[in-house]
Amino acid sequence: MSTETVTIQKLGAQGDGIVQGADGPIYVPFALPGETVAIARVKSEGTLMSIASASPDRREPHCRHFGPDGVNGTCGGCTLQHYADAPYRAFKRQLVIDALRSKGLTPEVDDLIAAHPGERRRVVFAARKTEKDMLIGFNQAESHHIVAIEECPIASPGIMAQLPAIRAVGAALAINAEAFRISVLETLTGLDLAVDGIKGLSDKHRRSAIETVLALRGVGRVSLNGEVLVETTKPIIDFSGVQISPPSGAFTQATKAAEEAMVELVATHIGKAKRIADLFAGSGTFSLRLARIGRVHAVESEEKALAALDHAARNTQGLKPVSIERRDLFRRPLMAQELKNYDAVIFDPPRAGAEFQTKELARSVVKKIVAISCNPLTLARDLAILTEAGYRITKVTPIDQFLWTSHVEVVVALEK
């Protein structure tokens, strides 16, 4: 380890400050462009020790767990809480621009749709039982150490108000000192807790845990490793007037504000399309809303998510017909011949993107496509396939769903 003073040149894609050293780039978490800082260096990794000259864009962090002076954050949940709003948002927009340029794409990119504190309705906590306490919090960056939290400015007030109940559920289920995860979703009817990583729960321990949950208020359902332990109230989320009960631990958009922004962009682009395919449909974030516009075919590999979507569609008045298909689109994408039946296609795949499905879309005659992604790099790859086949990008909108991190959501509209 060596100690040296450096001046940060730029931010990297993960939000680390970068300075070019004699033998390659040095990455310095929590440092900002233009700052002169003292670092402890091990190879290409620099630990920020002190700031000799601070950037005018540096600000006091919102949360005590980020670090007392914004120099070295302890909680690993946020990486850019010390960055002023305007340059932070410009950084996220630039991530999208750079990803597109890497594939030779140069469309105009809209300003970032901003996220705000207190919007996160879905949070994944790290948890571990100690001799004295039940730790609920987040892992420190690059570490298995859990930072127990008392506040979290990104999480919804509803989740934070129930932190004692979440801690009680964790304590009731923990059988040893092994770490596990508690995924928390705030719904209209209470919290939905999905616990993963606990094995070997005895029947006696299970009954005791269920009794603990039944005595709590504000917790509607608790599951363990995908199995529902107790459900006092069916969790309900609202998709613009369509109410759905998602399966335990199912994917949902992290914030309702971002979800509604995405839906508005999608609906605006597809216009009055009569036949719509929603690929990687999940529990129906888009399908159930777009069914007010036209007939929707929802394709998804997760059986429980698809069943929840189907149930909601069948029990909501005023929707056009919604058909469902369970299908692994990575292994068996919808072929160009199948896609000819649709006026518009929406696809919102996992971070790996949808390369094989995109190649079939490129061969299709679908007039309008909306691509949605939380990974600008795989999105750029997929968009390049479509543009090479004659599709034109008409709108690119980055959305900040993951406040104070380097993750950014993107919605892209294309036309044949």
Side-chain angles (χ1 to χ4, degrees):
M1 180 184 293
S2 63
T3 302
E4 52 193 279
T5 299
V6 298
T7 298
I8 303 300
Q9 296 164 334
K10 62 180 181 178
L11 281 189
Q14 304 302 315
D16 296 336
I18 297 179
V19 58
Q20 193 65 34
D23 51 356
I26 304 168
Y27 299 90
V28 186
F30 310 112
L32 296 177
E35 292 188 327
T36 300
V37 298
I39 63 171
R41 179 185 173 191
V42 178
K43 297 183 178 179
S44 64
E45 302 295 325
T47 299
L48 184 57
M49 307 302 291
S50 63
I51 302 174
S53 175
S55 165
D57 293 327
R58 179 173 287 274
R59 70 174 183 190
E60 288 295 315
H62 286 66
C63 176
R64 76 182 91 162
H65 302 299
F66 184 79
D69 53 7
V71 171
N72 285 310
T74 53
C75 168
C78 297
T79 55
L80 291 166
Q81 206 179 110
H82 58 303
Y83 207 9
D85 287 343
Y88 160 77
R89 291 168 184 168
F91 162 72
K92 283 205 160 179
R93 177 176 177 268
Q94 192 64 42
L95 289 176
V96 178
I97 294 171
D98 291 345
L100 295 176
R101 283 179 179 167
S102 74
K103 294 297 182 181
L105 303 173
T106 57
E108 180 63 30
V109 175
D110 294 346
D111 288 340
L112 182 80
I113 295 178
H116 302 93
E119 290 183 341
R120 283 289 291 272
R121 66 178 177 188
R122 177 168 58 83
V123 179
V124 181
F125 290 117
R128 185 168 64 84
K129 194 172 186 177
T130 69
E131 292 182 3
K132 297 181 179 180
D133 200 3
M134 181 68 220
L135 298 180
I136 296 288
F138 300 101
N139 285 330
Q140 191 170 2
E142 307 295 330
S143 168
H144 294 296
H145 172 69
I146 297 174
V147 177
I149 64 164
E150 297 298 332
E151 66 173 319
C152 180
I154 66 167
S156 74
I159 290 177
M160 295 313 298
Q162 290 293 337
L163 199 58
I166 298 169
R167 189 177 287 113
V169 171
L173 287 171
I175 58 176
N176 52 38
E178 294 293 319
F180 56 96
R181 296 180 306 279
I182 304 178
S183 299
V184 183
L185 174 65
E186 183 182 27
T187 78
L188 297 175
T189 53
L191 298 188
D192 183 15
L193 307 186
V195 181
D196 290 287
I198 295 176
K199 298 180 180 179
L201 201 66
S202 67
D203 290 342
K204 181 179 179 181
H205 200 142
R206 183 184 298 262
R207 287 194 298 271
S208 175
I210 290 172
E211 289 173 1
T212 297
V213 176
L214 291 173
L216 296 172
R217 291 185 177 182
V219 177
R221 180 171 67 187
V222 175
S223 66
L224 178 62
N225 302 326
E227 175 197 350
V228 176
L229 284 181
V230 59
E231 183 178 276
T232 58
T233 308
K234 190 173 289 296
I236 299 293
I237 54 179
D238 181 83
F239 290 157
S240 300
V242 181
Q243 293 196 336
I244 181 172
S245 180
S248 180
F251 173 81
T252 57
Q253 299 296 339
T255 79
K256 189 168 180 61
E259 178 180 273
E260 291 175 346
M262 284 187 274
V263 169
E264 182 177 350
L265 288 165
V266 170
T268 298
H269 181 58
I270 68 169
K272 297 181 179 180
K274 294 181 178 180
R275 298 166 301 173
I276 306 160
D278 182 11
L279 311 183
F280 307 95
S283 296
T285 300
F286 300 106
S287 294
L288 294 170
R289 291 171 162 107
L290 296 178
R292 298 193 187 279
I293 297 173
R295 300 172 66 99
V296 178
H297 184 56
V299 185
E300 168 60 42
S301 63
E302 294 294 331
E303 184 177 11
K304 291 181 179 179
L306 207 54
L309 188 165
D310 185 48
H311 183 270
R314 291 177 183 275
N315 289 275
T316 303
Q317 294 183 342
L319 301 184
K320 302 288 196 301
V322 177
S323 56
I324 61 169
E325 180 181 357
R326 187 184 181 195
R327 185 162 172 168
D328 184 342
L329 293 168
F330 291 109
R331 295 176 179 271
R332 199 163 62 89
L334 258 68
M335 307 302 285
Q337 185 69 13
E338 297 172 275
L339 290 164
K340 71 178 184 180
N341 298 319
Y342 303 104
D343 305 312
V345 172
I346 299 97
F347 68 98
D348 183 11
R351 290 187 61 80
E355 184 175 7
F356 294 130
Q357 182 60 75
T358 304
K359 288 178 178 178
E360 291 302 321
L361 278 165
R363 296 174 53 233
S364 77
V365 294
V366 175
K367 293 179 181 178
K368 293 186 176 182
I369 296 175
V370 184
I372 303 161
S373 178
C374 60
N375 185 341
L377 292 174
T378 56
L379 173 65
R381 177 202 65 202
D382 294 345
L383 292 176
I385 294 170
L386 292 170
T387 56
E388 287 170 8
Y391 281 94
R392 179 173 61 93
I393 296 173
T394 61
K395 190 174 181 63
V396 181
T397 307
I399 300 173
D400 192 6
Q401 185 162 209
F402 304 96
L403 184 61
W404 298 322
T405 74
S406 58
H407 299 295
V408 59
E409 200 90 26
V410 194
V411 178
V412 181
L414 302 101
E415 292 182 357
K416 190 74 170 182

